[in-house]
Amino acid sequence: MNFHQYYNCDVVNGPGTRCTLFVSGCEHQCRGCYNQATWPVSSGRYFDQQMEDAIIADLQDTRILRRGLSLSGGDPLHPANLGSISQLVKRVRQECPDKDIWLWTGYLMENLTAEQRRVTSYIDVMIDGPFIQALHHASLIWRGSSNQRVLRKAGPSGVWVEMNNYQQFGY
């Protein structure tokens, strides 16, 4: 997997102070996408063990408390990214159990493959759906267009529910 950018201290992509990784590779290629440079899977830099270790270290850093990890792109659920993303989210769950994980994808939850669903089993909040420029509105929270949903896992069964009132979920 390749990535374009890593922010070890981000306050834009999800609630609180976070670590945010923008991966390469997106097959949706939405018109009006603000991150078109991330579309080719071969763009950016190689995501290696050193980068994964840096993310874990940043999440565990007690000098700057991070609420969690945000994964965007490109698309973290692009088939070329699933192996590395799966390894990363499993490691975050094991080594940073108090951190939440947010993921942005152009895929719809209902259309995910079995392998993509396995990755989402480690995710707390997912913003799904392609960006549609005609549905863009600057007032939307954590999404670019109104067709996109902010989904959160609820209850012990891990059922995904749409977040309409962010305060009810503690965000």
Side-chain angles (χ1 to χ4, degrees), residues 42-171:
S42 61
S43 64
R45 296 174 285 163
Y46 180 68
F47 184 82
D48 58 13
Q49 189 64 49
Q50 183 178 358
M51 187 71 241
E52 183 179 306
D53 292 345
I55 293 171
I56 298 299
D58 289 337
L59 287 169
Q60 294 174 338
D61 185 354
T62 57
R63 295 169 300 156
I64 301 174
L65 298 178
R66 277 89 167 180
R67 182 167 180 165
L69 173 66
S70 293
L71 300 168
S72 191
D75 196 322
L77 295 182
H78 184 286
N81 296 333
L82 292 175
S84 295
I85 292 294
S86 178
Q87 180 176 314
L88 175 61
V89 296
K90 286 177 186 177
R91 188 168 171 204
V92 170
R93 280 285 166 252
Q94 290 172 352
E95 297 181 35
C96 310
D98 59 327
K99 306 301 181 188
D100 63 14
I101 303 173
W102 285 48
L103 182 144
W104 280 256
T105 182
Y107 300 100
L108 292 173
M109 169 57 83
E110 298 81 6
N111 299 333
L112 296 180
T113 66
E115 189 175 3
Q116 289 169 324
R117 285 184 185 274
R118 279 191 291 279
V119 170
T120 64
S121 70
Y122 295 92
I123 305 302
D124 298 293
V125 177
M126 179 171 55
I127 294 79
D128 79 338
F131 172 75
I132 298 177
Q133 192 168 18
L135 300 177
H136 169 73
H137 196 278
S139 68
L140 295 170
I141 298 175
W142 300 318
R143 56 198 177 124
S145 56
S146 60
N147 64 297
Q148 295 173 315
R149 301 176 297 181
V150 180
L151 304 169
R152 179 182 173 136
K153 245 189 245 162
S157 63
V159 173
W160 290 95
V161 296
E162 189 167 357
M163 290 173 59
N164 294 314
N165 176 355
Y166 302 113
Q167 276 67 37
Q168 85 182 68
F169 294 100
Y171 293 106

